[in-house]
Structures are given as C-alpha cells and as structure tokens.
C-alpha cells in the first residue's frame, strides 16, 4: 500500500528538564503504533521527537541552579534535581530573579558559552532519563530535532510571510490575522522580536517538507493544542503551501488515574516510570499465583506488565479521556493485552503438542471455525482502517475480538483429539494462523508476546 511514501510522525515530543508523566503515554504509544503500522504497509516513516528545548523556562532553570543548585547534586539527582529546582523557582522567585531568568534566557539565545553549557547539560540529563523509559517501551526515534533546532530557520519564514503580505503589526507584535477563519491571530514575533512556539512549528513543517518530502506529516499531540495546530496549518496554507493539507493533527484525550491524579497543575503528578513499575510488579504477582512453576517469570512479567500499560493507552478511541486502572489493564479475562497474550500462549502450547499439522482439505466447517477464519481475513482491512482514521485502537480491538473467537473455537472444537486427521490438521492450521496474527497485531502496537504464561 505505502509504496515507500514518507510519513513524518511527530510524537512523544518531550520537554527538556521535565519528567515523563502519564500524560505522555498516549502520544508516545499512539505515535509508535502508527509508525509501525505504516511501516508494515510499506510506507517509510520518520519518527520525530520535537523536543521542547527552547523557551523562557530554561532561563529560569539556569537562574535557579545558580542560586540553589550545585553540580554534584544535579549529577546525582539528574532530572529529579533539575525538576525540583524549577519547581522551587516557580514558587519562590521574586521580581529580581524573574529578571535574571530573562537575562539568562537571552544569554542562551545569544550564544553565551556558559549559559549554553548549562543548558546542554540539562538537556543531556533529560535525554539520558527518558532513554531509560523509551528502552523499556522499545521506542526509538529517527530525529530529535526540537524547537531549538529551528532557531536559524525562522528568519526566512518571517521574510516570506512579510513578502506575501501576511504579516500585520498588532500592539508591537507581528501576527497573521486569522479572523476571516474564525480564529484568533497567530503570533509570529513578540514585540521584543522573539519567536514563538507557532513560528517554530511553521519553520519545522517547511523544513520537514524540504528534507523528507513527506506524503503526510502527523502530529500526535493532545487535543488541548487543537487551536495551535489549526492556526499554523492555516498560516502555511495562506503562504501557498499546497501540502498544508497533508499536515494532520492526531489529537488524543487525557489520561488520569482512578484516584483522580494526573494533572501537573493540581500538583498530583503520576510519573510513567512508576506506573510501569507497578504494572510489572502486579503482573509478576498474578503470574506467580497462576503459574508458580513458570520459568523466566521475571522476563515474562516485564512483557506482560509493560504491555498492559501500552494496551491501556491504546484500547479506546484516542480522543476519549481515559481513566487508567491497574486492575482493569491486568485483567486476564478482560479486554486486555494479557488476555491476548494468554491466548497466544494457549495457541503456542497447542502447536507444541500437536505440531503444525499437515495438509488438509475441508468441505464443511463449523460456525466457530467459520467465524475465526472470517476474522483472520479481516486483519489487512483492519490495519488499513486504523491508518485511515489514525486509530491504533482498531488493531487493539481486533486482537481482543480474534482472541475471543479463538478461545470459543478452542473450547468448543477439539483440536488435538479431533479424530479425523483432515480436521485435526485444519484446526492446527487455524491455531497457527491465529498465533501469527495476534503476535503481529500486538507487535504493531509495540507489545511483545511471551511463549508461555
Ligand atoms: N513539547 C510539546 C508539549 O509537550 C509538544 C510538541 C508537539 N509537537 C509540535 N510540533 N508542536 O506540549
């Protein structure tokens, strides 16, 4: 299907010096799943982590570090230490510190060596930290070109906007008026000449088109930023970029926990690493109880626990706000990845006992077999639909449906003791096809499959 056409996917796109909270789970996993499904259908993907590595907050961090921090503590505490300093700045900084922070930010922008060394250091500590999370989730990116990368790529954009008569002055700032489209203006330059988030995104889109000549460029970003994307897509369209229609905001809803925690503003933040840790531990407990003799239990608990976190983020239509529940995502009989994984383990064990089965020719099939075959045949169309709507949940649902049909078949129809050799072979073939398809479905969502569970 893809014929090598290029899809840029902007996802995860973390902010430097901030920790990874559960809100980042959706963008990371939806982006990763779309990436894998596109590649599977023959597209060429470019995964971009559009780092939030630019903005006045970095001046604040340097200011806080200079006032309260020291090198050993930050080396030791890494992202946690930087984060603490930033939080402290926000609660304690007075007018003078705010002014100093602005000055530090200006120093970063003007290329001052010390300020940039500190910034680069914060950045490398953040990247080392997120890498540990990406490793657990098996996520990689093709590019980490973030906001700062576009610093020297904005002047030509501003110039082009000016030449095309799109820039207007408003209270000292340079804006593109979008009133005709029912939107507030898109601010391009502040009155002090500084660029904005949108300016960088416009420059980034132009750069991506030039560099990758994408067929589509996806932005997997929370729906809170709907207006931002609409605005800068429109600006690009007004600039005459006919490819602006190929920019797509893949919006998703919020994730919260059952106790209501999540939002940074309320202060009750849930960090993703803690959620993963807890799921792996719970998965381990359940497996120990269900199957105490199982070898390699720790590894399996990891695959099951991490899978549960990912599947939990992917099972619903992405625009819905979801409430993450440990019990729900780890319910072995529910609509979960562990249910699918368990079905795979079951199919595996059937094949282990029965072999892959030889030739068969079947003239009559039972309903359970027919339903299963029909579902297996739907897999390619499911992938296609998932991309058309940018909904990895179609694949997640499909995996659950297929598992249910297989389990019905497994309980209703004897496979190993089918009696007739022809039927036995057919049922083994169905089992193998199910295992392959479920494994592929989970793999495309970024989830592994243990052989035994
Ligand atoms: N770093 C931003 C945030 O956390 C998301 C960036 C999304 N990508 C983009 N090209 N604007 O809100």
């Amino acid at each position: 299907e893809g014929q090598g056409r290029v899809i840029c996917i902007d996802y995860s796109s973390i902010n430097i010096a901030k920790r990874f909270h559960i809100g980042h789970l959706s963008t990371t996993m939806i982006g990763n799943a779309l990436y894998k499904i596109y590649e599977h259908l023959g597209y060429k993907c470019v995964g971009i982590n559009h780092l939030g590595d630019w903005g006045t907050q970095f001046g604040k961090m340097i200011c806080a570090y200079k006032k309260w921090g020291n090198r050993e503590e930050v080396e030791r505490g890494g992202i946690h230490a930087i984060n603490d300093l930033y939080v402290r700045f926000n609660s304690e900084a007075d007018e003078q510190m705010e002014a100093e922070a602005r000055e530090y930010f200006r120093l970063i922008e003007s290329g001052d060596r010390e300020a940039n060394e500190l910034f680069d250091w914060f950045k490398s500590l953040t990247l080392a930290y997120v890498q540990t999370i990406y490793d657990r989730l098996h996520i990689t990116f093709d590019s980490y070109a973030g906001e700062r990368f576009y610093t020297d790529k904005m002047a030509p954009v501003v110039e082009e906007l000016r030449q095309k008569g799109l820039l207007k002055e408003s209270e000292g700032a340079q804006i593109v008026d979008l009133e005709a489209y029912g939107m507030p203006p898109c601010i391009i330059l502040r009155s002090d000449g500084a660029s904005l988030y949108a300016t960088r995104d416009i420059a980034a889109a132009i750069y991506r088109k030039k560099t990758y000549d994408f067929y589509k460029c996806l932005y997997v970003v929370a729906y809170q930023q709907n207006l931002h994307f609409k605005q800068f897509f429109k600006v690009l369209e007004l600039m005459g970029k006919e490819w602006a229609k190929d920019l797509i905001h893949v919006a998703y809803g919020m994730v919260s926990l059952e106790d209501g925690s999540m939002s940074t503003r309320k202060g009750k933040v849930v960090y993703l690493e803690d959620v993963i840790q807890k799921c792996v531990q719970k998965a381990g407990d359940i497996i120990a109880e269900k199957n105490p003799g199982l070898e390699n239990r720790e590894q399996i608990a990891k695959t099951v626990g991490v899978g549960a976190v990912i599947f939990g983020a992917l099972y619903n239509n992405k625009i819905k706000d979801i409430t993450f529940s440990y019990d729900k995502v780890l319910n072995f009989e529910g609509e979960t990845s562990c249910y699918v994984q368990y079905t795979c383990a079951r199919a595996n064990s059937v094949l282990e006992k029965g072999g892959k089965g030889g030739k068969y020719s079947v003239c009559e099939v039972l309903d359970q077999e027919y339903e299963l075959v029909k579902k297996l045949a739907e897999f390619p169309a499911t992938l296609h639909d998932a991309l058309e709507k940018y909904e990895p949940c179609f694949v997640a649902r499909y995996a659950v449906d297929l598992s249910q049909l297989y389990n019905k078949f497994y309980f209703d129809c004897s496979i190993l003791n089918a009696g007739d050799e022809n039927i036995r072979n057919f049922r083994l073939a169905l089992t193998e096809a199910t295992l392959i398809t479920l494994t592929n479905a989970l793999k495309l969502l970024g989830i592994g499959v243990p052989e035994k569970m």
Side-chain angles (χ1 to χ4, degrees), residues 26 223 251-255 316-322 397:
S26 308
Y223 65 64
Y252 62 84
M254 297 227 297
V255 183
N316 288 294
N317 281 67
K318 60 190 186 314
I319 202 68
K320 278 199 188 148
D321 289 338
I322 54 179
R397 299 243 171 96

Side-chain angles (χ1 to χ4, degrees), residues 195-361:
S195 65
L196 287 107
Y197 184 46
T199 327
R200 282 165 199 265
D201 258 327
I202 294 169
I206 293 173
Y207 175 84
R208 287 173 192 174
K209 184 66 193 174
K210 202 169 78 198
T211 309
Y212 304 113
D213 192 22
F214 56 74
Y215 167 64
K216 281 181 187 182
C217 177
L218 275 43
Y219 298 82
V220 187
V221 183
Y223 65 64
Q224 279 88 345
Q225 296 193 28
N226 274 354
L227 178 62
H228 165 72
F229 285 99
K230 268 199 180 141
Q231 285 180 307
F232 89 77
F233 290 177
K234 182 54 89 181
V235 171
L236 283 160
E237 186 193 315
L238 294 173
M239 289 170 88
K241 313 286 180 201
E242 46 76 33
W243 48 265
K245 64 176 184 347
D246 306 322
L247 304 173
I248 289 139
H249 177 205
V250 178
Y252 62 84
M254 297 227 297
V255 183
S256 56
L257 259 74
E258 284 173 302
D259 62 2
S261 52
M262 125 88 215
S263 102
T264 331
R265 257 163 294 140
K266 275 189 236 139
K268 262 176 109 188
V269 193
V270 182
Y271 295 112
L272 188 57
E273 66 254 40
D274 299 336
V275 175
I276 295 177
Q277 192 52 41
K278 199 162 162 184
C279 266
V280 169
Q281 197 203 326
K282 278 179 178 268
D285 294 347
I286 298 173
I287 293 168
E289 206 187 295
K290 273 189 181 291
N291 193 349
L294 190 63
E295 270 174 54
N296 232 342
R297 235 162 47 196
E298 217 165 290
Q299 191 52 44
I300 294 172
K302 271 189 200 156
T303 308
V304 172
V306 171
V309 177
I310 298 173
F311 204 83
L314 295 180
Y315 193 68
N316 288 294
N317 281 67
K318 60 190 186 314
I319 202 68
K320 278 199 188 148
D321 289 338
I322 54 179
T323 308
F324 187 91
S325 146
Y326 292 101
D327 293 333
K328 226 158 110 188
V329 300
L330 281 168
N331 178 353
F332 277 60
E333 268 99 57
E335 296 169 355
T336 57
S337 51
C338 35
Y339 174 68
V340 179
Q341 287 165 328
Y342 195 75
T343 308
C344 289
R346 170 170 283 158
N348 235 322
S349 124
V350 170
L351 294 173
E352 223 168 64
K353 289 184 201 130
K356 290 199 170 164
K359 281 209 166 117
Y360 58 87
S361 60

Side-chain angles (χ1 to χ4, degrees), residues 157-225:
V157 174
V158 175
E159 194 39 45
E160 189 178 337
L161 283 165
R162 187 164 288 133
Q163 272 177 16
K164 291 184 170 157
L166 291 164
L167 275 193
K168 251 168 87 173
E169 189 171 321
S170 165
E171 296 169 34
Q174 298 292 321
I175 63 155
V176 176
D177 187 354
L178 297 175
E179 206 184 336
Y181 309 96
M183 286 186 264
C186 184
I187 306 174
I188 302 294
L189 294 175
R190 273 192 337 220
S191 53
D192 63 1
S195 65
L196 287 107
Y197 184 46
T199 327
R200 282 165 199 265
D201 258 327
I202 294 169
I206 293 173
Y207 175 84
R208 287 173 192 174
K209 184 66 193 174
K210 202 169 78 198
T211 309
Y212 304 113
D213 192 22
F214 56 74
Y215 167 64
K216 281 181 187 182
C217 177
L218 275 43
Y219 298 82
V220 187
V221 183
Y223 65 64
Q224 279 88 345
Q225 296 193 28

Side-chain angles (χ1 to χ4, degrees), residues 89-108:
F89 183 97
N90 282 334
S91 66
E92 290 180 31
D94 53 16
E95 226 356 89
Q96 195 200 330
M97 279 186 79
E98 294 281 357
E100 275 173 35
R102 278 195 293 277
E103 176 58 15
Y104 278 122
F105 177 56
R106 201 191 58 76
L107 285 173
I108 302 178

